[in-house]
Amino acid sequence: MSEYSRRYEAETGKTAPIEAQQLDKLFEQIARGIFLPPRGQQAVDLGFTAHSLSDPYENPVVYQYYQWVLRNVFEKHSVNEMTAKLIGMAFTCANVFETSLPQPLTLNPWQIEEMKSFPLKTKRAVVVENNGVFVWLVHLHPDWSLINQAGNDFNEAYIKLLQRLEQRGLQVTYLGDLDSRGIQMADHLYRQLNETSIAEFTAIQTPENVSKWLTLKGKIAAKRTHRLAVTTPRFQQEMNSISLMGKFVEQEQLITDYENLIPGWL
């Protein structure tokens, strides 16, 4: 039993969760001031689902233990972690526009019209659904051309700029969570585009890769794998795989695969 578990049990009178040992590595990194990825990535790297350390309802026992240690052991110790909270709700990207401004770049709705004709730095970019995965990939590979999809934020300014960029010849492919909602979001975004083929949009997240990732990395959860309505045949195929297997995969689990596949596409 670690010092964190012992102190928790001594001071609360409760038994530390069986998963407490999995958190010891993270607590040691916090104690040493090591720079950490977004919290969702931390959770997945420890073997939990992405929201286990940030959502009290995802894994209540682990969340409560984790929060107790932060409050009582590290109360005077700041956690050196990358935040997944991005400023702005319009359009965030990295290395898409020809500019000397620091990356990533977040554009507000008042900038969109001018940016529609702003010089481009690239011919290809990867649209990433998850905020935390986006900022972590930018940190790991600061030269990659990436566009943040911001979860389910399909605001008008974002869609209009993305449509204009594809009209100008920017090719985009998409990466998102492999659960029912994630596939539905991918389908929704694809249907907003006018110039992008489904083959290009799913060049990395192909039905074959989806099936492989579900088989090798999938976690069972009926709540996240029930069938939702999608229109595009390729996404219907991916939805079928998720529903039939009853498994889901979060983007944070696929960082290594992304690092191997994205360079070849870009």
Side-chain angles (χ1 to χ4, degrees), residues 12-166:
T12 67
K14 300 178 182 179
T15 302
I18 58 174
E19 301 94 339
Q21 188 174 358
Q22 290 175 247
L23 288 161
D24 287 346
K25 178 181 177 181
L26 175 61
F27 292 146
E28 289 301 317
Q29 291 175 325
I30 293 174
R32 286 153 50 199
I34 292 177
F35 182 66
L36 300 170
R39 197 161 294 184
Q41 188 67 50
Q42 296 173 37
V44 168
D45 288 346
L46 294 173
F48 303 114
T49 54
H51 298 290
S52 297
L53 303 182
S54 56
D55 184 346
Y57 301 103
E58 178 78 7
N59 191 331
V61 174
V62 167
Y63 175 84
Q64 291 166 13
Y65 173 72
Y66 167 77
Q67 290 293 331
W68 187 93
V69 173
L70 289 188
R71 288 193 307 270
N72 295 276
V73 179
F74 297 107
E75 70 271 23
K76 298 180 181 179
H77 191 110
S78 62
V79 180
N80 187 18
E81 64 183 0
M82 178 174 281
T83 180
K85 296 179 180 179
L86 299 176
I87 298 173
M89 295 295 290
F91 191 98
T92 301
C93 64
N95 305 305
V96 171
F97 297 101
E98 190 63 63
T99 174
S100 59
L101 288 171
Q103 303 294 310
L105 181 68
T106 297
L107 307 171
N108 63 54
W110 293 271
Q111 297 171 289
I112 295 300
E113 195 60 37
E114 184 175 346
M115 297 306 294
K116 288 180 179 179
S117 58
F118 202 89
L120 299 180
K121 184 178 181 178
T122 182
K123 293 291 185 181
R124 287 189 161 196
V126 179
V127 179
V128 180
E129 174 199 326
N130 183 283
N131 286 342
V133 172
F134 170 81
V135 294
W136 189 234
L137 287 176
V138 171
H139 172 74
L140 295 173
H141 304 279
D143 59 329
W144 282 5
S145 299
L146 304 171
I147 297 173
N148 180 41
Q149 192 265 302
N152 59 2
D153 178 35
F154 298 106
N155 64 77
E156 183 179 2
Y158 179 96
I159 295 298
K160 285 186 174 180
L161 182 52
L162 195 57
Q163 289 171 337
R164 176 57 181 155
L165 291 176
E166 62 164 349

